[in-house]
Amino acid sequence: MRVLVFVLLCCTVSVQAQLFAPANYPKGYFRNPLELAMDLSGNFGELRPNHYHMGLDLKTNKVENQLVHAAADGYISRIKIEPGGFGRAIYINHPNGFTTLYAHLNDFNPKLENWVKQQQYAKESWNVFLELTPGQFPVKQGDFLAYSGNTGGSQAPHLHFEIRRTADDVNVNPMLFGFPLADNTAPRILRLAVYDRMRSLYEQSPRLIPVKASGSNYSTTPALVKVSSPKVSFAITAFDTHTGSSNLNGIFEALLYVDNEAVIGFRMDNISYSDTRYLNAHIDYRTKSAGGAWLQHLSDLPGYVNSIYKQAKGDGAIDISDGAVHAVRIVVKDAYGNAATLDYSVQYDGTAVAPLVSTGKMFYPFMLDGFETEHCEFFIGERCLYDSVHIRYGQSANTHPQGISEVHTIGSSAIPLQESFLVRIQPNRSLTLQEQQHTVMQWYSGSKNDVQKVEWQNGWASARFRDFGSFRLVTDDIPPQINTPGLADGANLGKASRITFTVTDNLGRSKNVRTLLDGKWLRFTNDKGRTFIYRFDEKCLAGPHELTISAEDEAGNGTTKTIRFVR
């Protein structure tokens, strides 16, 4: 018996090695970019809305302005400043073929900060993505780069740190580079989910199976899971942490074995930003969008391109139509090799498979297909869907006061899209040329909404969206509003330290905001896309001034506000 167990274990290790080659990255080359001991609030591959987390979130003791240092020798190759996303970020290229990125920063070091400001004024844009040459800002390991902050898409003070392959800009898991972070804790498995793979994943709710732990070994209750489908797949909710931390971070790797044979697995090793939205194929999107748990599939959906999965024996949809009891093991690992295992059995109970009854037209991954009615058409591209699914269509009255079409409901917000799909709507009356020029298509689902400027062709308005939901045409002749609280025309700002304003729009979409001081462009920051802020500097000396602010909305309506003040 012991010989048999040994042989089975050896076979398991052998197949597993074929799934994932050992990670081989330079250990000790990069230093901790902070002066604080490494402590993670987020790790690589962690699950986030519509994307994988692509680096490490390093805690900064809940405060801003900690010193951020270069992780290794190299040169600053790029600077990015944007309202969301990274906020303020520095990229450094290193001679070993990797690039490090430092994001959500406050001020850069003085020399770099001054250079960036000059570039912003030269481009007349606060939002910039600057390319630098190797000789402009070379750095040595440990050089001061910037102060940590909370800019961009950050929700609390921290440093977002990434390592990428310089040649193709693909992100690599920093935990594979040997940073000084103690981790002797195994991942935790919280629940198992079972899916009927005779139907679309987006047309069912999974059966959730509770699990119980004995150390790092887990089992289900009951131990034998009987199912009424001859073909099933599995998903898990699992988290990881590191020594001394209470943060529930993402897992690194999960492997599925059936009857002691490796079937499929995934690893959070390297992911490109161009593929990060494929997280929606990796998770049970329908369950999560309804407010449920994060569930990570142990099956590879057909529409997942450049997948993080490795297949050894199929795509993870398991045929159990023989009615036999099949032993299942799921192994979950972190980047340090700590592992947790979940063992259970599964059996098909022989229930006759009922015919699928669903309304709507069936669409498939990698097929360009469409749907047409008298007043609405939509077309779904080859790389839009992750799994086959019925897309339902409905029409209802438009109650918007400026609505010029019926409301057309397409699909469900519980069905994710990788790429945008095309929606074409015919207005319910003839429009003047001016009305056409100010027409937008509005999408909404629940409390969310968005608008896109339409293109006209043969009396039909078209736009692209990345979510299913309800769509309608709206004419918009109301310009955005520029709000300057506390700043009236003729104000004396001699004691003020800054000027602030906001821009609002009736349909929630403004753009092309521009500010001029005495006819020259003036830099206002717009962190998180909320308030525009200018802090007085050498660009606004003592004396009378005239500030002009202009903005547009998606429909092309423009507005301008001029304020005279004395400093």
Side-chain angles (χ1 to χ4, degrees):
M1 183 65 181
R2 290 182 179 177
V3 173
L4 177 60
V5 172
F6 176 75
V7 171
L8 289 174
L9 287 173
C10 288
C11 291
T12 297
V13 171
S14 175
V15 175
Q16 180 179 333
Q18 296 173 15
L19 281 178
F20 298 111
N24 185 22
Y25 296 102
K27 304 292 193 298
Y29 186 90
F30 296 110
R31 60 155 279 179
N32 175 2
L34 295 173
E35 295 181 354
L36 307 170
M38 293 192 83
D39 190 6
L40 304 184
S41 59
N43 64 356
F44 186 88
E46 194 168 287
L47 310 178
R48 302 288 175 86
N50 294 317
H51 70 283
Y52 294 105
H53 189 241
M54 303 287 274
L56 303 181
D57 281 348
L58 305 179
K59 292 183 180 180
T60 57
N61 287 342
K62 300 181 180 180
V63 298
E64 301 181 24
N65 295 319
Q66 300 283 4
L67 300 180
V68 178
H69 301 276
D73 293 0
Y75 70 94
I76 296 176
S77 58
R78 285 175 281 179
I79 297 289
K80 191 170 192 177
I81 298 177
E82 58 185 343
F86 292 147
R88 293 167 56 91
I90 293 174
Y91 300 67
I92 298 178
N93 285 5
H94 304 280
N96 68 341
F98 290 95
T99 296
T100 53
L101 177 145
Y102 316 75
H104 307 312
L105 303 170
N106 283 341
D107 287 351
F108 305 138
N109 72 56
K111 184 178 179 181
L112 182 62
E113 185 71 34
N114 184 60
W115 181 83
V116 170
K117 181 178 180 179
Q118 292 175 11
Q119 301 306 305
Q120 290 173 316
Y121 271 95
K123 296 177 180 295
E124 296 191 355
S125 176
W126 168 76
N127 190 344
V128 293
F129 193 20
L130 306 172
E131 301 277 351
L132 289 78
T133 61
Q136 286 181 280
F137 287 94
V139 297
K140 291 292 185 181
Q141 185 179 64
D143 280 357
F144 168 58
L145 298 176
Y147 296 98
S148 69
N150 184 34
T151 58
S154 173
Q155 302 300 311
H158 73 281
L159 174 68
H160 178 81
F161 176 72
E162 295 181 1
I163 299 179
R164 304 182 184 185
R165 297 195 300 251
T166 305
D168 57 11
D169 218 30
V170 169
N171 288 56
V172 181
N173 193 332
M175 298 312 300
L176 303 175
F177 287 79
F179 283 101
L181 181 72
D183 187 357
N184 55 16
T185 60
R188 293 167 51 193
I189 303 173
L190 301 187
R191 64 180 60 86
L192 172 72
V194 184
Y195 298 84
D196 175 4
R197 294 308 294 271
M198 301 299 290
R199 64 180 64 217
S200 170
L201 287 173
Y202 306 118
E203 296 174 7
Q204 62 177 293
S205 296
R207 178 182 171 189
L208 299 179
I209 310 293
V211 302
K212 58 183 179 180
S214 177
S216 58
N217 298 313
Y218 294 78
S219 58
T220 61
T221 304
L224 174 60
V225 179
K226 291 191 175 185
V227 297
S228 57
S229 173
K231 192 174 186 180
V232 297
S233 66
F234 308 105
I236 55 171
T237 299
F239 295 99
D240 188 37
T241 186
H242 62 86
T243 302
S245 174
S246 60
N247 281 82
L248 300 180
N249 301 134
I251 60 175
F252 172 64
E253 180 180 292
L255 303 163
L256 173 67
Y257 300 89
V258 178
D259 298 328
N260 292 312
E261 289 188 295
V263 175
I264 195 169
F266 66 81
R267 174 184 278 186
M268 304 295 184
D269 185 353
N270 55 84
I271 303 172
S272 168
Y273 265 101
S274 62
D275 296 327
T276 189
R277 188 179 173 87
Y278 279 107
L279 167 123
N280 291 333
H282 174 63
I283 67 167
D284 180 341
Y285 186 90
R286 185 176 188 269
T287 294
K288 187 59 184 174
S289 66
W294 290 107
L295 289 163
Q296 296 177 263
H297 286 301
L298 286 159
S299 61
D300 196 1
L301 296 188
Y304 191 168
V305 177
N306 298 327
S307 167
I308 62 171
Y309 292 87
K310 295 291 184 181
Q311 299 184 18
K313 191 179 180 181
D315 62 3
I318 311 301
D319 184 348
I320 56 171
S321 59
D322 58 7
V325 174
H326 296 274
V328 182
R329 167 170 284 191
I330 297 173
V331 180
V332 180
K333 294 184 177 182
D334 63 21
Y336 284 72
N338 301 301
T341 60
L342 170 61
D343 288 288
Y344 58 99
S345 297
V346 63
Q347 182 183 31
Y348 173 45
D349 64 10
T351 302
V353 178
L356 297 177
V357 179
S358 183
T359 60
K361 179 178 177 178
M362 178 68 84
F363 286 81
Y364 301 87
F366 300 113
M367 288 184 66
L368 172 61
D369 202 354
F371 180 89
E372 299 177 0
T373 69
E374 184 180 1
H375 300 295
C376 178
E377 303 172 348
F378 62 88
F379 300 90
I380 299 176
E382 295 95 328
R383 293 199 174 187
C384 284
L385 296 174
Y386 306 125
D387 194 17
S388 57
V389 64
H390 291 90
I391 304 298
R392 300 176 183 176
Y393 166 81
Q395 180 177 314
S396 57
N398 189 347
T399 59
H400 193 285
Q402 294 175 287
I404 55 169
S405 76
E406 303 301 310
V407 174
H408 304 276
T409 300
I410 303 170
S412 163
S413 59
I415 304 170
L417 287 164
Q418 176 66 19
E419 296 183 354
S420 59
F421 78 114
L422 179 66
V423 181
R424 302 184 73 230
I425 298 177
Q426 189 176 54
N428 55 18
R429 62 176 176 83
S430 297
L431 303 180
T432 66
L433 179 59
Q434 183 177 6
E435 286 178 319
Q436 284 189 353
Q437 292 173 342
H438 289 274
T439 296
V440 294
M441 190 179 297
Q442 184 181 47
W443 161 86
Y444 61 93
S445 178
S447 61
K448 299 179 181 179
N449 68 87
D450 191 18
V451 294
Q452 296 286 346
K453 182 73 171 177
V454 301
E455 294 184 3
W456 289 96
Q457 185 177 22
N458 298 326
W460 286 72
S462 63
R464 290 185 175 273
F465 292 85
R466 222 174 186 181
D467 294 280
F468 291 123
S470 296
F471 303 84
R472 62 188 175 190
L473 298 181
V474 176
T475 58
D476 179 19
D477 56 7
I478 302 173
Q481 183 174 346
I482 298 169
N483 312 293
T484 55
L487 180 59
D489 194 45
N492 187 327
L493 301 183
K495 296 183 179 180
S497 62
R498 64 181 192 172
I499 298 173
T500 66
F501 70 90
T502 60
V503 179
T504 55
D505 183 64
N506 61 310
L507 293 180
R509 175 72 75 88
S510 59
K511 61 183 183 180
N512 297 335
V513 178
R514 183 170 172 81
T515 53
L516 300 176
L517 182 69
D518 303 328
K520 296 182 179 180
W521 184 79
L522 186 66
R523 185 186 67 167
F524 277 75
T525 64
N526 185 220
D527 187 51
K528 304 186 187 306
R530 298 170 185 165
T531 303
F532 291 83
I533 301 174
Y534 165 70
R535 291 178 173 84
F536 285 114
D537 59 7
E538 74 283 356
K539 300 293 183 179
C540 183
L541 302 177
H545 297 282
E546 182 178 271
L547 176 67
T548 302
I549 307 169
S550 59
E552 295 179 3
D553 64 16
E554 192 66 19
N557 301 298
T559 187
T560 300
K561 187 171 187 176
T562 298
I563 300 173
R564 297 165 184 82
F565 66 91
V566 175
R567 173 140 165 79

